[in-house]
Amino acid sequence: MSSYKKMLVAIDLTEEAPQVLNKAQEISKAHGAELLLVHVVEPVGYAYGGDIPMDLTELQDQLDKAAKEQLAAYGKQYGVTDNNQVITVGRPESEIHRLAKEQDVDLIIVGSHGRKGFQLLLGSTANGVLHGTECDVLAVRIH
């Protein structure tokens, strides 16, 4: 197993996030690696296909603010410094790929629900991250 120096852990800020964070913390300690804690907020317009005739800026701002607060709480709990906590807006797979490249990450850690059936082995985000990245990816099974 190679030695990892910088690990990106992508979480969805649900009650399942600690399962991924615990595994990430364990691996980062074993390798003496730096942790980069990431959450990607999907644009509100994506959920509605971009076809709603109203301004969603305030709702998006509220989602961003709530995400920053929750990520900061996880950062404090897991000892991840403020400058290693990233909230970004976009498609999760694309943003994770972009950040991994920009930050010279050598391991990406994501959660996976491991649903039944081969095509659902990984969730769509975990699968999207796996395909198209240049570094190792660890999918942590969510129970």
Side-chain angles (χ1 to χ4, degrees), residues 12-103:
D12 61 6
L13 303 180
T14 64
E15 67 279 352
E16 298 165 337
Q19 293 178 54
V20 178
L21 287 163
N22 289 333
K23 182 61 78 175
Q25 189 175 49
E26 179 184 319
I27 295 169
S28 76
K29 284 182 179 175
H31 289 268
E34 179 182 1
L35 269 184
L36 181 66
L37 193 53
V38 173
H39 175 69
V40 182
V41 178
E42 291 191 70
V44 177
Y46 281 9
Y48 300 101
D51 290 339
I52 34 182
M54 60 174 45
D55 184 10
L56 298 173
T57 306
E58 188 174 328
L59 178 58
Q60 188 72 56
D61 290 346
Q62 289 173 357
L63 290 172
D64 294 350
K65 183 177 185 249
K68 283 180 183 155
E69 290 170 2
Q70 184 63 48
L71 195 71
Y74 280 130
K76 185 175 182 181
Q77 182 179 350
Y78 288 89
V80 178
T81 61
D82 291 349
N83 60 335
N84 275 10
Q85 297 172 26
V86 178
I87 297 282
T88 185
V89 177
R91 291 186 49 82
E93 314 84 52
S94 302
E95 289 301 301
I96 292 166
H97 288 155
R98 180 185 64 77
L99 286 166
K101 212 171 226 179
E102 281 178 10
Q103 298 289 325

Side-chain angles (χ1 to χ4, degrees), residues 4 10-12 27 33 40 87 89-91 108 111 119 123-124 140 142:
Y4 299 113
I11 58 172
D12 61 6
I27 295 169
V40 182
I87 297 282
V89 177
R91 291 186 49 82
I108 297 171
Q119 65 273 33
S124 60
V140 176
I142 303 291

Side-chain angles (χ1 to χ4, degrees), residues 99-110:
L99 286 166
K101 212 171 226 179
E102 281 178 10
Q103 298 289 325
D104 199 25
V105 166
D106 43 25
L107 177 65
I108 297 171
I109 301 174
V110 294

